[in-house]
């Protein structure tokens, strides 16, 4: 099993109860606009962040979040506010 397909296969073993409000917030839109590397599009293992060049914003698919916290520390501008989802919502792991 290749590395990428192994991660994808494992993502199907988790369940997520989605809240109607995101627990991931882009603090300043202009910071993303000035960012030349768009690191968040690459470091998130579940593809939560995506740069929308047409709208000039970073979209946040918080429903995909596996709560690993990578975005909290990996954004070079510290422009992502990350908290755990409120009680009863978020990720449930099937194994371990």
């Amino acid at each position: 099993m290749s590395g990428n397909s192994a991660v994808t296969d494992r993502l199907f073993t988790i369940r997520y109860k989605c809240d109607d409000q995101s627990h991931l917030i882009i603090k300043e839109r202009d910071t993303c606009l000035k960012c030349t590397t768009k690191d968040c599009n690459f470091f998130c293992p579940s593809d939560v962040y995506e740069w929308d060049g047409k709208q000039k914003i970073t979209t946040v698919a918080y429903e995909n979040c596996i709560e690993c916290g990578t975005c909290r520390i990996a954004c070079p501008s510290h422009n992502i506010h990350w908290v755990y989802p409120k009680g009863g919502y978020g990720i449930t792991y099937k194994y371990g």
Side-chain angles (χ1 to χ4, degrees), residues 7-73:
V7 171
T8 303
D9 291 343
R10 289 189 178 113
L11 288 174
F12 284 109
T13 68
I14 59 177
R15 280 189 276 154
Y16 191 86
K17 184 176 179 189
C18 189
D19 192 358
D20 59 353
Q21 292 184 1
S22 178
H23 64 287
L24 307 168
I25 299 166
I26 302 295
K27 295 176 189 177
E28 297 290 332
R29 178 182 173 185
D30 287 346
T31 301
C32 294
L33 192 58
K34 295 173 190 171
C35 179
T36 58
T37 59
K38 308 288 188 264
D39 291 340
C40 62
N41 289 261
F42 307 105
F43 60 58
C44 178
S46 55
D47 296 326
V48 169
Y49 303 95
E50 184 176 347
W51 177 250
D52 182 333
K54 195 174 202 177
Q55 295 184 48
K56 305 242 186 276
I57 61 169
T58 297
T59 60
V60 181
Y62 70 95
E63 306 87 351
N64 295 343
C65 180
I66 59 172
E67 300 171 25
C68 67
T70 301
C71 59
R72 176 173 52 177
I73 58 174

